[in-house]
mmCIF file of all heavy atoms in Angstrom:
data_model
loop_
_atom_site.group_PDB
_atom_site.id
_atom_site.type_symbol
_atom_site.label_atom_id
_atom_site.label_comp_id
_atom_site.label_asym_id
_atom_site.label_seq_id
_atom_site.Cartn_x
_atom_site.Cartn_y
_atom_site.Cartn_z
ATOM 1 N N VAL A 59 -105.382 -69.521 -160.164
ATOM 2 C CA VAL A 59 -106.134 -70.760 -160.383
ATOM 3 C C VAL A 59 -107.584 -70.390 -160.673
ATOM 4 O O VAL A 59 -108.144 -69.487 -160.064
ATOM 5 C CB VAL A 59 -106.018 -71.711 -159.172
ATOM 6 C CG1 VAL A 59 -106.643 -71.116 -157.920
ATOM 7 C CG2 VAL A 59 -106.634 -73.078 -159.505
ATOM 8 N N PHE A 63 -110.307 -74.796 -165.498
ATOM 9 C CA PHE A 63 -109.438 -75.814 -164.887
ATOM 10 C C PHE A 63 -107.983 -75.511 -165.260
ATOM 11 O O PHE A 63 -107.335 -76.266 -165.986
ATOM 12 C CB PHE A 63 -109.854 -77.227 -165.344
ATOM 13 C CG PHE A 63 -111.081 -77.734 -164.664
ATOM 14 C CD1 PHE A 63 -112.334 -77.166 -164.915
ATOM 15 C CD2 PHE A 63 -110.996 -78.780 -163.762
ATOM 16 C CE1 PHE A 63 -113.468 -77.636 -164.276
ATOM 17 C CE2 PHE A 63 -112.134 -79.267 -163.118
ATOM 18 C CZ PHE A 63 -113.374 -78.689 -163.371
ATOM 19 N N ILE A 93 -114.153 -74.173 -156.681
ATOM 20 C CA ILE A 93 -113.926 -75.626 -156.798
ATOM 21 C C ILE A 93 -112.448 -75.953 -156.979
ATOM 22 O O ILE A 93 -112.074 -77.098 -157.174
ATOM 23 C CB ILE A 93 -114.740 -76.249 -157.954
ATOM 24 C CG1 ILE A 93 -114.336 -75.629 -159.299
ATOM 25 C CG2 ILE A 93 -116.249 -76.115 -157.699
ATOM 26 C CD1 ILE A 93 -114.822 -76.458 -160.503
ATOM 27 N N HIS A 94 -111.604 -74.941 -156.961
ATOM 28 C CA HIS A 94 -110.162 -75.151 -157.118
ATOM 29 C C HIS A 94 -109.433 -74.447 -155.977
ATOM 30 O O HIS A 94 -109.951 -73.504 -155.377
ATOM 31 C CB HIS A 94 -109.632 -74.567 -158.443
ATOM 32 C CG HIS A 94 -110.308 -75.074 -159.668
ATOM 33 N ND1 HIS A 94 -110.415 -76.414 -159.959
ATOM 34 C CD2 HIS A 94 -110.890 -74.418 -160.703
ATOM 35 C CE1 HIS A 94 -111.025 -76.568 -161.117
ATOM 36 N NE2 HIS A 94 -111.352 -75.352 -161.606
ATOM 37 N N ASN A 95 -108.171 -74.865 -155.746
ATOM 38 C CA ASN A 95 -107.327 -74.079 -154.854
ATOM 39 C C ASN A 95 -105.916 -74.010 -155.440
ATOM 40 O O ASN A 95 -105.615 -74.652 -156.455
ATOM 41 C CB ASN A 95 -107.322 -74.630 -153.421
ATOM 42 C CG ASN A 95 -106.446 -75.855 -153.271
ATOM 43 O OD1 ASN A 95 -106.221 -76.592 -154.230
ATOM 44 N ND2 ASN A 95 -105.981 -76.104 -152.062
ATOM 45 N N CYS A 130 -103.715 -77.837 -157.759
ATOM 46 C CA CYS A 130 -105.066 -77.722 -157.208
ATOM 47 C C CYS A 130 -105.326 -79.053 -156.510
ATOM 48 O O CYS A 130 -105.266 -80.111 -157.140
ATOM 49 C CB CYS A 130 -106.083 -77.479 -158.316
ATOM 50 S SG CYS A 130 -107.789 -77.767 -157.746
ATOM 51 N N ALA A 132 -107.957 -80.324 -155.475
ATOM 52 C CA ALA A 132 -109.173 -81.015 -155.923
ATOM 53 C C ALA A 132 -108.937 -81.763 -157.246
ATOM 54 O O ALA A 132 -109.638 -82.716 -157.550
ATOM 55 C CB ALA A 132 -110.328 -80.021 -156.084
ATOM 56 N N HIS A 133 -107.972 -81.319 -158.013
ATOM 57 C CA HIS A 133 -107.696 -81.948 -159.319
ATOM 58 C C HIS A 133 -106.181 -82.074 -159.506
ATOM 59 O O HIS A 133 -105.608 -81.487 -160.437
ATOM 60 C CB HIS A 133 -108.305 -81.101 -160.458
ATOM 61 C CG HIS A 133 -109.750 -80.755 -160.228
ATOM 62 N ND1 HIS A 133 -110.161 -79.527 -159.733
ATOM 63 C CD2 HIS A 133 -110.877 -81.496 -160.400
ATOM 64 C CE1 HIS A 133 -111.485 -79.511 -159.612
ATOM 65 N NE2 HIS A 133 -111.940 -80.691 -160.015
ATOM 66 N N MET A 137 -104.370 -80.461 -162.781
ATOM 67 C CA MET A 137 -104.059 -79.050 -162.533
ATOM 68 C C MET A 137 -102.821 -79.003 -161.662
ATOM 69 O O MET A 137 -102.895 -79.030 -160.425
ATOM 70 C CB MET A 137 -105.244 -78.349 -161.852
ATOM 71 C CG MET A 137 -106.498 -78.338 -162.718
ATOM 72 S SD MET A 137 -107.920 -77.642 -161.861
ATOM 73 C CE MET A 137 -107.396 -75.934 -161.675
HETATM 74 CU CU1 CU B 22 -109.175 -77.812 -159.373
#
Side-chain angles (χ1 to χ4, degrees):
V59 64
F63 283 69
I93 61 164
H94 303 306
N95 77 334
C130 165
H133 310 99
M137 297 175 66

